[in-house]
Amino acid sequence: MSLIHWIDFPKIGDDRGNLVVLEENKNIPFSIKRIYYLFDLQSDIPRGFHAHKELVQVAVCVKGHCDILMDDGKNKETVTLGSPDKGLLIDVMQWHEMRNFSEDCVLLVLASDIYYEADYIRDYAEFVREVNVKF
Ligand code: TYD
């Protein structure tokens, strides 16, 4: 499991503009059970601050940009999401924090399952303990 795993989506472009296709079990490496998006975000109010036990997600900034800190319990890296043709895989047990949202940022997230609060680890100390047991 690498910390930063980008997925490049082919752009179907012509003189009318661009089109990107996201397909489950093709360029999205799971069956998509849920889609949600974040918008009207505040650049100085970070979000996320959790990891998932089972859920796998792909985040795509379809408009604007934001930073995302990825942390697997050993290494941390911050990357910028800002291309509608690039997705970031958020694998199981990857602590993530999103911040520095541009005013126009729309962050689309595709998820491998429906929403279960029980799948979240929202306490960083618990995450570090669990990740060291698991991996
Ligand atoms: P939260 O986990 O705080 O968002 P973020 O990770 O972006 O900081 O979620 C905000 C609220 O929305 C929280 O009450 C849980 C709820 N929620 C759902 O009901 N369903 C969902 O699919 C998601 C992602 C969140």
Side-chain angles (χ1 to χ4, degrees):
M1 184 176 78
S2 64
L3 184 57
I4 304 298
H5 181 155
W6 290 108
I7 304 174
D8 289 316
F9 307 128
K11 267 194 295 194
I12 306 173
D14 57 32
D15 52 11
R16 299 168 301 165
N18 283 314
L19 187 154
V20 164
V21 183
L22 310 178
E23 288 179 290
E24 63 179 6
N25 301 316
K26 287 193 173 173
N27 57 1
I28 300 301
F30 48 78
S31 300
I32 301 161
K33 290 258 187 71
R34 177 167 52 113
I35 298 171
Y36 61 92
Y37 45 94
L38 310 176
F39 61 102
D40 288 347
L41 301 155
Q42 322 261 338
S43 74
D44 56 343
I45 305 183
R47 303 191 58 134
F49 294 86
H50 61 253
H52 289 280
K53 296 174 194 165
E54 309 261 327
L55 190 75
V56 184
Q57 302 185 98
V58 171
V60 189
C61 201
V62 291
K63 180 92 183 155
H65 57 86
C66 67
D67 294 336
I68 179 163
L69 170 116
M70 302 292 288
D71 178 348
D72 63 8
K74 292 193 179 80
N75 300 298
K76 296 176 203 254
E77 191 172 336
T78 298
V79 294
T80 299
L81 284 174
S83 311
D85 60 344
K86 237 168 141 63
L88 182 70
L89 186 76
I90 305 174
D91 214 331
V92 293
M93 296 305 274
Q94 287 194 319
W95 185 267
H96 50 285
E97 301 172 9
M98 293 86 80
R99 51 172 58 79
N100 299 332
F101 303 101
S102 63
E103 220 175 281
D104 58 348
C105 179
V106 181
L107 185 61
L108 176 77
V109 184
L110 313 177
S112 65
D113 211 341
I114 60 169
Y115 173 77
Y116 292 118
E117 185 56 37
D119 187 66
Y120 282 71
I121 301 176
R122 293 190 185 271
D123 178 76
Y124 188 73
E126 183 190 342
F127 163 70
V128 171
R129 269 198 310 276
E130 295 265 323
V131 89
N132 285 321
V133 172
K134 266 203 152 163
F135 298 104

